[in-house]
C-alpha cells in the first residue's frame, strides 16, 4: 500500500477545525467598532429584520414606491434587510430613503439575478465556459457589474458554479460544465469581475453571491430540485472545488441550494455551511437562502416553519429569501430558548458587515445615481465586447468542408429560431432588451444575400409547445392572453422552407431549444431535437443542398441523426445580445471557431449521467466497441459520447507532439514541467485550447480515468508551432481520500495532453 502524505492540508485549510471559525472578530477593527455601536442601539426586531430579504414588489421596472407596497410596510416596521429584482434607480432611491428614515436607519442591499450580463447580454454561462478563457469571462462579469451597479444593484446572484453531469437538468445552462478544475478557474474569474480585484468596493463593483451552495447540479435523474445522493468524498472531489475557489477569491456571499445533502437540506446543513465553507475555506461573508428555500424545508419533512428557521439559522444561514421564516418565527424561538441571542447577533453582524464593506453606511445612495443609469448601460463598447465574447463560445461540432462560407453565397436561413431574439439572450436575461438582440437572420443577412422561412413549429404537440412558451406567464398572470399557436400548418411551413432552400446555394437551419426549454424548472427526459424541427431538417436534407445546422441550445442534446446527415453543425448556445453578428463572423470566416465543449454530448439519454472524468469499473468496456456480455456496457448503445468533453473543431488543423516531462520523477515537495508542442498544420491562423489531464494509476481510493489539471488557449499562426508548458506539483496530483483529507499519494501518474479529453498523448511521472 502507498504511503499517504497529507499534502499541505493545514495551509489549505482543508481539514476540519484548522481554519478560523465563524463569529470571530474580523480583521477590520474600525468596522467592528462601528457595528458594535450600531448593534448596541438596535432592537431585537430590527436585528431579525436585517435577516429578511424580499423580492421587489412585482419585479418592478417602471414603478414608483407607494405606502401600499408590502416592502415599504416591512421597512417602516424595521423588518427588511434587502430587496432584489429591481433595476429601477428611481424606485430603489425612494425605497432606500424610506430605509434610512425608518427604525435604525440601515440601508438596504439591493440584489438581482445578473447571470450573464445585465442589459448587454453575453452568452449563457455554459457557453462562456466553452471559451476556456477566464480572462474574457472576468471581463464579461466586469461589464455586467458596471451596468448593474449603474442600475441601483449592489449585489448579484452570480456566479452559478454548480457542476452538472446530467444534461436532463435544465440549469446546466447556468453553470460552467462538468469539470471541477475548469469550474474553479471560472468561478474565480466571475468573482474578480464582479467585485474587482482590489478588495474595495467602488460604485462599479458589486458583491457576488455564489450559488447554489451546494451540489444542486447533482440532482437525481436531472430533475430540478431533486435530492442529491453523493458521498462526501465524491462531492469534495467532483463538485465542490468551484465553490471553494470562489471563497478563496474573496466571494462576498453564498446562496444555499434547494437540494438535500447527506439527508439534510443544504439550507440547514452545518457541514456545508459551517464546517466546510466557513471553517475549512475561511469564508467570512454571509449566506442567503435560495428563494423560499427555508419554507421548502417543511416539505422536505424536517418540521414546521419555526423549527426549520431555527435550525437553518443555527447551521449558519444568515438571510432568508422570501420565506418570512426568520422574520416570522425567530423571536418566538428565542423566547422559547430554541435559539440564542448570539445566533441572531452573529447573522445580523454578517449582513451589516456586507453593507459596511459596500460603503452603504457612508453613502446609502452610492449605487443610485440616475445619470449613471442613463449612460453606463448597453453602451456600444459593451455590445462590441459581447460580440467578441460570443465568437469565442461557438463550438464547431462538425464540418464536411462547407464552412466557412464565402460572403456573397446565397443562403436560405430557415427554422423557428432564426429570428428569435429571446433565444439569443437565453435563460436569466430579464434585464435584457430581447427584441434588440441581434437575431441569427439579421446577423447573416448583413453579410450575404439571405432569404428566410420559419420552417417549422417547435414541437408537433401544441399543448407541450404552449406550456413551454407560456407556462411561466400563465403561472404568474393567469389572465394573460396567450396567442394561438400552430395557426400555419407544419406541412406548409416545411414546404416554404424547402422552396427557399432550393433557390439558395446553402441552407442555414436555425433549430434547437427556445430559452424556456432550459434554465430553472426546465428538465427534459428526451434531449433530442424536437420532433417538428427534426422533420424540417430531414426535408432540407432531401433537397440535396448543403445544410449548415446552427444549433441553439442550453444543454447537450442527442444529435445522432444530425451528426450523420448535416454538412456542418455550429453549436451557438444562446449567444447573447450580439449573437447574430458573432455567428455570422464565424460562419463567414472572419473568426475561426475555437470553443470546446465543457459538457459531454451523449448518444442517448439513457447514458446519463455521462461525464469524461468517470471511474473505471471492475469490468471496464472500451468506449467505442459494441456490446460484450459481462462487461460494463449497454446492449443497445456504445458507452462513449457523441462529442466528448473538450471537443471542438476549428477552420485549421493542429498536430500534437508527444508529451515530455522535465523529469521522470518528482519529489513530493518538487515540481515538474509537462510540455507539448502544437503545430498549426492548416492554412489559417487560429486559437487552440490545449488541455492537460492526469490519471492517478494506483491510489488508496479509486480515481477517475482522467482529470483535467491545466489548460491554455494559444494563438498559433498557420504553419507555426508553439510549445506549451504546464507546471505540476503535489497540489495538482492531490485528491480527497476516503477520510476526506487532501492527499498526494506517491506512485505513478499518467500525464496526458491533447486537443480534447480523448485524443491524448501520455507520459508517466513517478512521485516519490
Ligand atoms: C433560483 C435562484 C435565484 C433566485 C432569485 C431561485 O428560484 O434558484 O438561482 O437567484 O430564485 O431569483
Amino acid at each position: 500500500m502507498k504511503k499517504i502524505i497529507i499534502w499541505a492540508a493545514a495551509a489549505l485549510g482543508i481539514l476540519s477545525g484548522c481554519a478560523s471559525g465563524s463569529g470571530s472578530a474580523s480583521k477590520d477593527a474600525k468596522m467592528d467598532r462601528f457595528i458594535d455601536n450600531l448593534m448596541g442601539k438596535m432592537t431585537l426586531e430590527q436585528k431579525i429584520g436585517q435577516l429578511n430579504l424580499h423580492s421587489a414588489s412585482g419585479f418592478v421596472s417602471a414603478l414608483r414606491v407607494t405606502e401600499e407596497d408590502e416592502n415599504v410596510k416591512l421597512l417602516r416596521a424595521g423588518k427588511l434587510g434587502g430587496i432584489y429584482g429591481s433595476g429601477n434607480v428611481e424606485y430603489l432611491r425612494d425605497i432606500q430613503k424610506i430605509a434610512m428614515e425608518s427604525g435604525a436607519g440601515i440601508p438596504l442591499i439591493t440584489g438581482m439575478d445578473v447571470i450573464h450580463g445585465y442589459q448587454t447580454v453575453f452568452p449563457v454561462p455554459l457557453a462562456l465556459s466553452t471559451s476556456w478563457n477566464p480572462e474574457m469571462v472576468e471581463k464579461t462579469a466586469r461589464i455586467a457589474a458596471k451596468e448593474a451597479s449603474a442600475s441601483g444593484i449592489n449585489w448579484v446572484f452570480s456566479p452559478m458554479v454548480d457542476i452538472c453531469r446530467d444534461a436532463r437538468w435544465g440549469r446546466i445552462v447556468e453553470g460552467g460544465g462538468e469539470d471541477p478544475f475548469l469550474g474553479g478557474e471560472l468561478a474565480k474569474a466571475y468573482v474578480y469581475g464582479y467585485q474587482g480585484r482590489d478588495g474595495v468596493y467602488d460604485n462599479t463593483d458589486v458583491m457576488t453571491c455564489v450559488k447554489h451552495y451546494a451540489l444542486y447540479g447533482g440532482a437525481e435523474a436531472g430533475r430540478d430540485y431533486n435530492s442529491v445522493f453523493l458521498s462526501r468524498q465524491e462531492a469534495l472531489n467532483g463538485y465542490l472545488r468551484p465553490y471553494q475557489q470562489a471563497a478563496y477569491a474573496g466571494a462576498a456571499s453564498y446562496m444555499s441550494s434547494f437540494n438535500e445533502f447527506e439527508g439534510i437540506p443544504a439550507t440547514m446543513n452545518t457541514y456545508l455551511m459551517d464546517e466546510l465553507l466557513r471553517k475549512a475555506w475561511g469564508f467570512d461573508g454571509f449566506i442567503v437562502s435560495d428563494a423560499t428555500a427555508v419554507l421548502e424545508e417543511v416539505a422536505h419533512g424536517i418540521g414546521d416553519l419555526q423549527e426549520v428557521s431555527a435550525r437553518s439559522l443555527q447551521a449558519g444561514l444568515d438571510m432568508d429569501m422570501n420565506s418570512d421564516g426568520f422574520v416570522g418565527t425567530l423571536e418566538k424561538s428565542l423566547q422559547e430558548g430554541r435559539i440564542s441571542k448570539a445566533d441572531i447577533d452573529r447573522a445580523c453582524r454578517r449582513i451589516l458587515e456586507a453593507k459596511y464593506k459596500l460603503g452603504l453606511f457612508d453613502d446609502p445612495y452610492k449605487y443610485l445615481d440616475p445619470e449613471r443609469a442613463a449612460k453606463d448601460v448597453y453602451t456600444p463598447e459593451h455590445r462590441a465586447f459581447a460580440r467578441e465574447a460570443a465568437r469565442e463560445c461557438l463550438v464547431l461540432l462538425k464540418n464536411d468542408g462547407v464552412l466557412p462560407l464565402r460572403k456573397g453565397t446565397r443562403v436560405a436561413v430557415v427554422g423557428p429560431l432564426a429570428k428569435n431574439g429571446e433565444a439569443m439572450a437565453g435563460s436569466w436575461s430579464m434585464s435584457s432588451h430581447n427584441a434588440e438582440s441581434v437575431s441569427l437572420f439579421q446577423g447573416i443577412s448583413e453579410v450575404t444575400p439571405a432569404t428566410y422561412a420559419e420552417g417549422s413549429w417547435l414541437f408537433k404537440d401544441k399543448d407541450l409547445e404552449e406550456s413551454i412558451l407560456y407556462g411561466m406567464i400563465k403561472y404568474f398572470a393567469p389572465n394573460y392572453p396567450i396567442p394561438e399557436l400552430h395557426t400555419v400548418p407544419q406541412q406548409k411551413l416545411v414546404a416554404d422552407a424547402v422552396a427557399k432552400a432550393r433557390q439558395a446555394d446553402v441552407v442555414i437551419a436555425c433549430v434547437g431549444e427556445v430559452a424556456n426549454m432550459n434554465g430553472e424548472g426546465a428538465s427534459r427526459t428526451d434531449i433530442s431535437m424536437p420532433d417538428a424541427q427534426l422533420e424540417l431538417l430531414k426535408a432540407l436534407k432531401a433537397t440535396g443542398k448543403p445544410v449548415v445546422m446552427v444549433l441553439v441550445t442550453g444543454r447537450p442534446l442527442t444529435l445522432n441523426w444530425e451528426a450523420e446527415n448535416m454538412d456542418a453543425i455550429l453549436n451557438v448556445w444562446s449567444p447573447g445580445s450580439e449573437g447574430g453578428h458573432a455567428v455570422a463572423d464565424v460562419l463567414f470566416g472572419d473568426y475561426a471557431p475555437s470553443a470546446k465543449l465543457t459538457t459531454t454530448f451523449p448518444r442517448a439519454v439513457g447514458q446519463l449521467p455521462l461525464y469524461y472524468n468517470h471511474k473505471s469499473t471492475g469490468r471496464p468496456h472500451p468506449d467505442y466497441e459494441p456490446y460484450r456480455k459481462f462487461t460494463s456496457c449497454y446492449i443497445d448503445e456504445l458507452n462513449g459520447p457523441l462529442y466528448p468533453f473538450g471537443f471542438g473543431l476549428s477552420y485549421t488543423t493542429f498536430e500534437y507532439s508527444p508529451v515530455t516531462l522535465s523529469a521522470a520523477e518528482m519529489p513530493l515537495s518538487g515540481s515538474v514541467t509537462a510540455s507539448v508542442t502544437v503545430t498549426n498544420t492548416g492554412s489559417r491562423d487560429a486559437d487552440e485550447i490545449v488541455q492537460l489531464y492526469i490519471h492517478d494509476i494506483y491510489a488508496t481510493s479509486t480515481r477517475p480515468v482522467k482529470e483535467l489539471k491545466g489548460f491554455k488557449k494559444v494563438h498559433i499562426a498557420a504553419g507555426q508551432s508553439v510549445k506549451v508548458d504546464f507546471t505540476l506539483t503535489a497540489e495538482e496530483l492531490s485528491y480527497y481520500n476516503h477520510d476526506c483529507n487532501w492527499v498526494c499519494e506517491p506512485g505513478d501518474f499518467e500525464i496526458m495532453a491533447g486537443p480534447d479529453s480523448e485524443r491524448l498523448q501520455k507520459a508517466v511521472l513517478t512521485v516519490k
Side-chain angles (χ1 to χ4, degrees), residues 431-452:
S431 318
S432 81
H433 293 179
N434 291 342
E436 286 174 36
S437 292
V438 181
S439 73
L440 297 167
F441 177 73
Q442 186 188 332
I444 293 165
S445 61
E446 282 175 20
V447 295
T448 208
T451 55
Y452 163 77

Side-chain angles (χ1 to χ4, degrees), residues 4 16 44 87 103 135 156 190 210 245 258 304 358 365 396 411 477 488 548 558 607 640 657 680-681 687 720-721 742:
I4 299 176
S16 33
L44 176 69
E135 219 175 287
V156 294
Y190 280 109
V210 181
Q245 294 298 305
F258 293 122
D304 62 10
L358 277 169
Y365 304 100
L396 184 61
V411 298
V488 182
V548 175
T558 48
Q607 293 176 301
S657 73
N680 181 341
T681 50
D687 290 342
Q720 299 297 302
S721 298
W742 181 244

Side-chain angles (χ1 to χ4, degrees), residues 395-399 551 559 569-571 597 601 643 647-649:
V395 193
L396 184 61
L397 294 175
K398 180 180 180 189
N399 187 11
L551 174 67
L559 300 169
I569 302 177
L570 183 66
N571 179 12
L597 297 176
F601 271 49
Y643 299 117
F647 173 79
L649 300 169

Side-chain angles (χ1 to χ4, degrees), residues 210-321:
V210 181
K211 67 189 189 185
H212 304 84
Y213 191 71
L215 308 166
Y216 182 33
E220 192 178 44
R223 179 155 55 78
D224 208 359
Y225 319 118
N226 208 1
S227 313
V228 169
F229 297 113
L230 285 165
S231 71
R232 191 175 288 203
Q233 186 190 19
E234 189 49 26
L236 284 164
N237 283 317
Y239 287 78
L240 287 165
R241 185 180 169 93
Y243 309 104
Q244 177 206 45
Q245 294 298 305
Y248 290 172
S253 72
Y254 278 66
M255 185 185 290
S256 73
S257 53
F258 293 122
N259 56 283
E260 65 167 82
F261 174 59
E262 298 181 330
I264 309 288
T267 297
M268 57 165 65
N269 196 305
T270 309
Y271 168 70
L272 289 176
M273 293 193 285
D274 196 52
E275 283 181 45
L276 201 59
L277 181 55
R278 293 191 187 285
K279 295 203 175 90
W281 300 342
F283 168 68
D284 69 351
F286 71 97
I287 307 176
V288 63
S289 75
D290 201 341
T292 65
V294 172
L295 179 63
E296 289 170 28
E297 289 167 322
V298 177
H300 277 282
I302 297 289
D304 62 10
L305 188 58
Q306 183 182 351
E307 172 66 14
V308 298
S309 301
R311 269 186 72 175
S312 300
L313 180 76
Q314 285 177 323
L317 186 76
D318 304 304
M319 193 175 229
D320 164 6
M321 189 193 317

Side-chain angles (χ1 to χ4, degrees), residues 695-718:
H695 175 210
D696 190 345
I697 299 174
Y698 302 106
T700 54
S701 288
T702 59
R703 304 299 307 130
V705 294
K706 283 161 213 167
E707 297 174 84
L708 182 77
K709 290 295 174 179
F711 58 90
K712 281 190 183 154
K713 191 166 186 168
V714 286
H715 187 75
I716 312 180

Side-chain angles (χ1 to χ4, degrees), residues 59 84 113 157 171 174 211-212 216 225 255 258 290-291 321 428 430 520:
F59 289 106
Y84 75 94
D113 284 286
F157 299 160
R171 302 197 80 168
E174 296 175 46
K211 67 189 189 185
H212 304 84
Y216 182 33
Y225 319 118
M255 185 185 290
F258 293 122
D290 201 341
M321 189 193 317
W428 285 120
M430 54 209 188
E520 185 169 357

Side-chain angles (χ1 to χ4, degrees), residues 79 138 143-144 220 317 362 410 439 508 513 588 612 739:
K79 290 185 171 178
E138 180 174 339
I143 290 172
E220 192 178 44
L317 186 76
D362 288 335
R410 292 173 311 146
S439 73
I508 301 179
E513 293 193 329
F588 291 88
Y612 87 94
D739 299 325

